């Protein structure tokens, strides 16, 4: 089941639990706007190249729409649609005043020079500048894009609308980006793990496995290690390693930053990457690709808890298998929402023209993550459902209430 089908299925299940009217359900599911634009640029060799850009704006009942822009050769309208919808529920769960959006350009960033990427970003911004904005739709980085991409969007947008730092988040600090933004999603994963373990277990005196050592996985590993969590295995696209006594995460991250690979790290032994997700542990934290937990491996999972640092790492069939095994899954729309929460803080700081110190950013993030977890637990009790449905019913309920209050049938 692809991401769109799974997201829609979770929405419908939540809508049934909430008893939403069928017409309201349909209204909430259909995107507000789908944008498709052609972006033609001159390449460095003088030839012309054409790329297709997308932006799906799903819902604006609770505030301006929010979501990343990804540069990837397989940018697919269905996936962008699913992720835009997911952002609507995610922002509602986190209680930040946004709706959901997502966008992308079908390209291979590694095959384009810096100047070609800049031209492509500027042309894309020219095509959509009148459809995004501080109070309309606020993009952010995603797969294949970064702070520099946001700087180009900000500059191009400002040519049409005047200086507008709040039009994008995830910007460089020197252009109004927020302190703490780089670590925000990984830090949010750590706070989510802390909230779950405080509820169910004995805090961080547990063994963890982390899949994925990109931005999210690296920060989550570093911060969980600082809290006293023992990370017994990690893996990325190059392979996987383990150490039953616990991996020295700061040493590993230093080793990788100096160009070393997992396999030549001195403090652990190489293991079969295929066994990482079913390794013996208390907590499994998938922080890489979607669909990694499926019917092929779910029955073999040994973890008691799964924290979804990635988007949609657990497919629907795996969800059912894990539920029967008694595995508690903390869903992505809560667990990895730290990034959008701190994006909200960045937007607020830009609008106010007053920047926060990093301590305040992290303190506010912890408060939002703690409150959201308690709200999910309350919803689980009232609806007699698991954490995934608790999160979805919380998010869908908030969006439905805002839609009804605004007078959606008028």
């Amino acid at each position: 089941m692809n991401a769109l089908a799974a997201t829609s299925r979770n929405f419908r299940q939540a809508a049934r639990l909430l008893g939403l009217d069928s017409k309201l359900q349909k209204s909430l599911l259909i995107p507000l706007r789908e944008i498709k634009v052609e972006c033609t640029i001159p390449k460095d060799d003088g030839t012309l190249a054409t790329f297709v850009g997308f932006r799906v704006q799903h819902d604006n009942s609770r505030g301006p729409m929010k979501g990343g822009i990804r540069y990837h050769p397989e940018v697919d309208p269905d996936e962008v649609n699913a992720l835009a919808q997911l952002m609507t529920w995610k922002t509602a769960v986190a209680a930040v005043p946004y709706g959901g959006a997502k966008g992308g350009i079908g390209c291979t960033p590694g095959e384009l020079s810096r100047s070609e990427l800049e031209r492509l970003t500027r042309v894309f911004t020219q095509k959509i500048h009148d459809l995004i904005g501080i109070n309309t739709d606020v993009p952010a980085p995603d797969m294949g894009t970064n702070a520099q991409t946001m700087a180009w969007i900000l500059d191009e947008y400002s040519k049409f609308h005047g200086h507008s730092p709040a039009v994008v988040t995830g910007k460089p600090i020197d252009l109004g980006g927020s302190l703490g933004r780089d670590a925000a999603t990984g830090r949010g994963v750590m706070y989510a793990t802390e909230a779950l373990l405080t509820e169910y277990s004995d805090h961080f005196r547990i063994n963890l496995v982390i899949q994925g050592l990109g931005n999210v996985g690296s920060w989550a590993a570093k911060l969980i290690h600082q809290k006293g969590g023992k990370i017994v295995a990690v893996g990325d696209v190059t392979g996987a390693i383990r150490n039953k006594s616990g991996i020295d995460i700061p040493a590993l991250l230093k080793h990788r930053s100096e160009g070393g690979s997992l396999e030549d790290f001195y403090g652990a032994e190489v293991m079969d990457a295929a066994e990482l997700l079913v390794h013996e542990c208390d907590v499994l934290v998938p922080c890489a690709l979607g669909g990694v937990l499926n019917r092929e491996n779910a029955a073999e999972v040994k973890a008691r808890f799964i924290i979804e640092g990635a988007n949609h790492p657990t497919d629907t069939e795996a969800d059912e298998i894990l539920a029967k095994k008694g595995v508690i899954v903390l869903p992505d729309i809560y667990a990895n929402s730290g990034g959008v929460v701190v994006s909200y803080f960045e937007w607020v700081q830009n609008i106010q023209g007053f920047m926060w110190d990093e301590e305040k950013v992290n303190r506010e993030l912890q408060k939002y993550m703690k409150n959201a977890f308690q709200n999910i637990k309350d919803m689980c009790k009232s609806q007699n459902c698991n954490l995934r449905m608790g999160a979805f019913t919380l998010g869908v309920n908030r969006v439905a209430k805002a839609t009804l209050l605004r007078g959606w049938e008028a």
Side-chain angles (χ1 to χ4, degrees), residues 35-41 43 49-55 68-77 79-80 102-112 116-117 120-121 124 143-145:
I35 304 155
K36 182 179 179 183
V37 294
E38 182 184 282
C39 302
T40 300
I41 61 163
K43 296 196 74 179
T50 298
F51 304 90
V52 178
F54 302 94
R55 187 71 175 167
I69 291 178
R70 57 179 50 186
Y71 289 1
H72 193 272
E74 295 174 14
V75 165
D76 171 76
E79 183 186 41
V80 173
K102 206 77 174 182
I105 299 176
C107 68
T108 306
E111 294 178 1
L112 298 173
E116 288 168 344
L117 284 169
L120 178 58
T121 301
F124 183 52
M143 190 186 301
T145 59

Side-chain angles (χ1 to χ4, degrees), residues 36-251:
K36 182 179 179 183
V37 294
E38 182 184 282
C39 302
T40 300
I41 61 163
K43 296 196 74 179
D44 293 344
D45 62 6
T47 61
L48 293 178
T50 298
F51 304 90
V52 178
F54 302 94
R55 187 71 175 167
V56 175
Q57 298 173 330
H58 180 256
D59 187 275
N60 65 353
S61 61
R62 297 182 61 258
M65 294 163 286
K66 187 88 188 76
I69 291 178
R70 57 179 50 186
Y71 289 1
H72 193 272
E74 295 174 14
V75 165
D76 171 76
D78 275 354
E79 183 186 41
V80 173
N81 202 318
L83 293 171
Q85 185 195 141
L86 204 59
M87 280 299 294
T88 297
W89 319 133
K90 182 181 288 188
T91 53
V93 168
V96 296
Y98 285 141
K102 206 77 174 182
I105 299 176
C107 68
T108 306
E111 294 178 1
L112 298 173
S113 69
R114 179 185 168 93
S115 61
E116 288 168 344
L117 284 169
E118 180 175 352
R119 287 195 289 275
L120 178 58
T121 301
R122 290 184 182 277
V123 168
F124 183 52
T125 307
Q126 290 164 17
K127 297 290 180 85
I128 67 168
H129 76 88
D130 56 343
L131 296 168
I132 62 173
I134 294 166
N135 298 307
T136 310
D137 179 3
V138 183
D142 202 299
M143 190 186 301
T145 59
N146 53 29
Q148 180 59 70
T149 317
M150 297 304 106
W152 292 329
I153 294 175
L154 164 60
D155 183 67
E156 197 63 29
Y157 181 87
S158 296
K159 291 176 183 176
F160 294 94
H161 302 276
H163 183 56
S164 309
V167 72
V168 288
T169 60
K171 300 179 295 294
I173 300 295
D174 291 335
L175 289 177
S178 177
L179 295 171
R181 175 64 185 86
D182 188 47
T185 308
R187 189 176 293 277
V189 168
M190 183 271 287
Y191 287 143
T193 305
E194 186 175 42
L196 184 74
L197 294 178
T198 302
E199 179 79 18
Y200 287 100
S201 186
D202 191 17
H203 213 46
F204 271 95
R205 289 191 289 277
I206 35 82
N207 296 331
L208 301 98
V209 169
I210 296 183
Q211 186 223 20
L213 284 174
N215 175 272
V216 178
S218 294
W219 276 108
K222 180 179 178 179
L223 295 166
I224 288 170
H225 181 268
Q226 285 176 4
K227 279 279 184 178
K230 186 165 73 172
I231 298 167
V232 295
V234 297
D236 62 13
V237 291
T238 66
I241 55 173
R242 65 186 172 198
N243 182 338
K244 65 181 179 181
S245 300
I247 295 168
D248 184 341
I249 296 298

